[in-house]
Amino acid sequence: MGSLTRANAARAASKGAAAPKPKTIKSQQIGEASLAEKLKYEFDKSMAAGPIALVGWLSLVTFIVILFAATMLALTRLGPDGGFNFFEAAWQSLMRTMDAGTMGGDSGWPFRFLTLFVTLMGILVFSALISIISAGLDSALEALRKGRSRVLEADHTVILNWSPSIFDIISELVVANESRKKPRIVIMANKDKVEMEDEIADKVPELKNTRIICRSGDPTDLFDLSLINAQTCRSIIVVSPEGAEDPDSQVIKTVLALTNDPKRRDERYRIAAELRDAKNAEVARIVGGDEVQLVLADDLIARIVVQSSRQAGLSAVYSELLDFDGCEIYTTELEDLVGVRYGDAVMGYEDSALIGLRYPDGRVKMNPPMDEIIVAGTRAIIIAEDDEAIKLTPMPDDAVEPTAIRKRKAVRRTAERTLIIGWNRRGPMIAHELSKYVKPGSVLTVAGDIPDFEAEILSMPMGSKNMKVEARRIDTSHAASLEALDPLSYDSVMVLGYSDHMEAQSADTRTLITLLHLRKLSERLGEHISVVSEMIDIRNRELAEVTRADDFVVSNKLVSLMLAQASENEYLSSIFDDLLDEDGSEIYMRPVGDYVDLALPLSFYTIAEAARQRGETAIGYRRKRTDGDDDGRNMGGVVVNPSKSEVLEYLPEDRVIVLAED
């Protein structure tokens, strides 16, 4: 009984005090751990927030120390002359946190110990503050070095992606920006900021009043795009990225990111975008709408190569129209032209050249019918040195010499034989474009030495059935192989670079070797070979001059010029689409003697009138002169938009540059 009572008591004692104390202690430990973790979390979050948050923490610590010291001094009345009140004590504490030397005159050990504590805390806080500020400055400088800071500019030109074309684009924009105040060009690409700046400094040494700002980032990423401040930019150029597997997709995604950014501006953008494959143009237009002008690089070069091969010197005309250093194409509304016939308006400018009209519905027509009446809302397309030079000027009564104008003679065109030496991705486009211009029975021979060459040549789609294509596999850098082609038997020869299989410089070097062999063959046989060559790098054109080819089409240069001009003129893409379309009016270079009598000096008014009577628009001339008469721009005697009142003597080999349908 006693043992049972003792056992029950033991069980009761055991049950009643099971483990309240251990359980309470455990819950307290959990609570303390959570508080510590919360404090650590808040501190880590402040560390991640940057220097400003850390300065806030240090300010809080300083405030607590000063508050503690001021309270102690006010309560204990420590200090000289019977102590301080609370506010005076707070001030004294603040001075000691900021300057350790303040406590040098303190007396009384209790007061000294308290002020020593405040001073040591001040030293700790301000040391940490200096360290934070230094780290913050280093971080900001590192961000600037990496190009990850936000651009604060406005009314700037933005260039997205990186390619060899970018240097020519910058050079052209520098010329266009000379009349602007504080012009800026902002560049963003997936490339190191310092590398971009170094390359630009090496290849564009003269920036004049333009400042270049580089940023590293992905142009297809919305956050990275926010760094360039596109909402306030003047215009945007999207170049085809160098080294990308699918560059057109990158360009389209960049345009999509710009136009569909939730934070985009209400005002429409002015975007000029480069595409390589014309098949992607429809998607790009859907994405960009009326905000984007597309420059189809390969299509543009193919058309100019074809037209230059049939008319030597034509690439200089296109370069002049696209180059900011000279005359450019402008579109302007002139109320004075409303109700006037186009043919009369053409003769109404002395120092400008009216070349076409942009109608209110957006259509563009180059060299419209001379009897067409200009309606309200139509914009005039004019070649001028600058927009201030566009002025209607009455034509003098004696400006035109009617007796010097010759009647048009019918010219019968025959089948042509064309030779292409070398090959790249633009070759099929060139062949397709050429077939639209030649007469039935024409032949195109393509000679090259790349893999699967013949199969690609024979499977190319043509624009018409007027031309037959044949392939010849030869070593295009071998003189004997080139001579075996009998290039003298062809009406024209085109030399293309192997840009798809070699680096730009290597491809141009191979082209130069081919041109030198052709020159040597021409000199040995004593006959001229009409040669047009495609160069990739503008610097190699100067070297190629020794080959004495008739014309050089510098592909990268022309694409760069087109992009730069399109960023300044929102109608330029549609203008060149019509200008390079075989269905409309194209640029032709024809003998001046077919238009006027060359016996006497004549004004360009007379030549323009002779062209007008044929339904053509005269825009310039090409005069063969000595090297000493060259203007230094390597234009080969080409002058676009001459003063119509200028009187000159012309020779039979001189050419007039006209817009005509055939």
Side-chain angles (χ1 to χ4, degrees), residues 592-603:
V592 179
D594 291 351
Y595 289 78
V596 293
D597 188 352
L598 305 182
L600 297 174
L602 297 171
S603 70

Side-chain angles (χ1 to χ4, degrees), residues 16-223:
K21 281 190 176 180
K23 189 173 184 181
T24 303
I25 293 171
K26 187 176 181 182
S27 63
Q28 289 175 352
Q29 290 173 343
I30 293 174
E32 290 173 0
S34 299
L35 179 61
E37 289 177 357
K38 287 180 180 179
L39 290 173
K40 183 178 183 300
Y41 171 76
E42 292 297 330
F43 181 74
D44 290 342
K45 187 168 71 170
S46 299
M47 291 288 290
I52 295 178
L54 293 174
V55 170
W57 275 95
L58 291 176
S59 300
L60 178 62
V61 171
T62 304
F63 176 76
I64 292 173
V65 170
I66 292 173
L67 182 63
F68 169 75
T71 303
M72 291 295 296
L73 289 173
L75 292 176
T76 59
R77 310 301 294 180
L78 292 175
D81 301 328
F84 309 106
N85 59 31
F86 179 81
F87 295 103
E88 182 64 24
W91 176 257
Q92 293 295 331
S93 299
L94 176 62
M95 292 298 99
R96 283 160 176 75
T97 59
M98 298 180 66
D99 183 6
T102 306
M103 66 171 291
D106 293 344
S107 60
W109 287 108
F111 180 62
R112 286 175 176 172
F113 280 124
L114 182 59
T115 55
L116 177 62
F117 167 74
V118 173
T119 301
L120 291 175
M121 291 301 297
I123 293 173
L124 176 64
V125 167
F126 277 92
S127 298
L129 180 63
I130 292 171
S131 176
I132 291 169
I133 293 174
S134 176
L137 288 174
D138 289 343
S139 177
L141 291 174
E142 182 67 13
L144 287 173
R145 192 198 71 79
K146 291 182 177 180
R148 298 296 296 169
S149 59
R150 181 179 172 81
V151 172
L152 302 178
E153 308 296 331
D155 196 35
H156 53 288
T157 300
V158 173
I159 302 177
L160 300 175
N161 295 321
W162 187 266
S163 82
S165 301
I166 206 166
F167 308 110
D168 291 322
I169 294 174
I170 293 173
S171 297
E172 290 304 308
L173 292 176
V174 165
V175 176
N177 288 337
E178 286 188 59
S179 59
R180 295 201 182 105
K181 185 178 181 181
K182 295 183 179 179
R184 300 289 184 266
I185 299 175
V186 176
I187 302 171
M188 170 174 278
N190 275 318
K191 191 178 179 71
D192 182 73
K193 173 180 179 290
V194 176
E195 290 182 12
M196 289 190 283
E197 291 173 342
D198 289 345
E199 284 195 50
I200 292 171
D202 289 341
K203 298 181 180 180
V204 191
E206 184 58 55
L207 295 176
K208 299 182 180 178
N209 63 329
T210 299
R211 180 186 169 197
I212 306 295
I213 301 171
C214 296
R215 291 291 180 265
S216 296
D218 183 0
T220 65
D221 184 84
L222 290 177
F223 175 78

